[in-house]
Amino acid sequence: MSLRLPTRTLVPVIVLAVLGGIVSTFVIARPPSSALDEAPSLVRPKLAKPAPAPAKKAAPVKAKAKTPVKQPAAKPAAKPKPAPVRVPAPVAKPAAEPVDDGLPKVLSAALADHRVVVVGLYDPESAVDRISLDEARAGATAAGVGFVAINVHAESQSRPLVELLGALENPGVLVYRRPNTLSARFGGFADSETVAQAAANALR
């Protein structure tokens, strides 16, 4: 026996069936929200930041040595000038008075300064006597003794010798040693070497 549904009843059933299929299709096609929530999300890997390059140590800056400024040399204080030292003037010794020994004063004065004195006797008018006088003076200088020239014609000089020795020869040479000793006597011409030797003998 077949059942026949009235047309009015069939139409709503078909509509519901179509709607139900659409809904079921939509439900099947869309995944549940929990599944969407559980789906892994794309995580972008974090790029490792490059390690910062080690900072270069700055080379120590050498401080420039300051050139010392040359200070002007201080001028030394002026030293006070020392007061001039007054040196007392040497007191001049009074000349020794000739001893009255019977000799001519000029000869006594020479013996006061020299231990040995050569005496040259001469006549100023004779050329030979002048030469002999020069030789006697040279011999005395060579021996380092005193020398005296006596003019035989000058009575103030020759008289004491005449009284002591008698007559005087010219030219002539006498060698006296202190105080009033006659050491040598030459009558006539005597060269310088002879006179020097006689004076040296008197110094001994």
Side-chain angles (χ1 to χ4, degrees):
M1 175 173 146
S2 63
L3 294 175
R4 293 184 181 180
L5 295 175
T7 304
R8 293 181 180 178
T9 305
L10 184 58
V11 173
V13 174
I14 295 172
V15 172
L16 289 174
V18 172
L19 291 174
I22 292 174
V23 171
S24 60
T25 302
F26 179 76
V27 172
I28 293 171
R30 183 182 179 184
S33 59
S34 60
L36 293 174
D37 294 338
E38 294 178 0
S41 59
L42 296 176
V43 180
R44 295 183 179 178
K46 293 183 179 180
L47 298 177
K49 293 183 180 180
K56 293 182 179 180
K57 291 183 179 180
V61 179
K62 293 183 179 180
K64 293 183 178 180
K66 294 184 179 179
T67 305
V69 179
K70 293 184 178 179
Q71 298 293 337
K75 294 183 179 179
K79 295 183 179 179
K81 293 183 179 179
V85 179
R86 293 184 180 180
V87 179
V91 180
K93 294 182 180 180
E97 294 183 2
V99 180
D100 188 8
D101 51 6
L103 298 176
K105 291 182 180 180
V106 64
L107 178 56
S108 296
L111 285 170
D113 295 333
H114 302 278
R115 192 157 63 96
V116 175
V117 175
V118 173
V119 181
L121 304 175
Y122 72 103
D123 180 354
E125 295 181 0
S126 170
V128 175
D129 285 11
R130 288 195 297 270
I131 295 173
S132 177
L133 189 65
D134 291 340
E135 289 290 316
R137 182 182 290 106
T141 302
V145 298
F147 176 79
V148 171
I150 291 181
N151 182 356
V152 294
H153 296 299
E155 188 176 352
S156 60
Q157 296 181 6
S158 62
R159 185 175 218 180
L161 292 177
V162 170
E163 292 178 354
L164 290 173
L165 305 175
L168 299 178
E169 299 180 37
N170 59 287
V173 175
L174 306 175
V175 179
Y176 268 89
R177 183 174 57 204
R178 189 187 293 165
N180 56 359
T181 303
L182 180 62
S183 176
R185 180 176 181 177
F186 300 97
F189 179 84
D191 59 22
S192 60
E193 292 183 1
T194 302
V195 174
Q197 185 61 49
N201 293 337
L203 286 172
R204 293 176 183 174

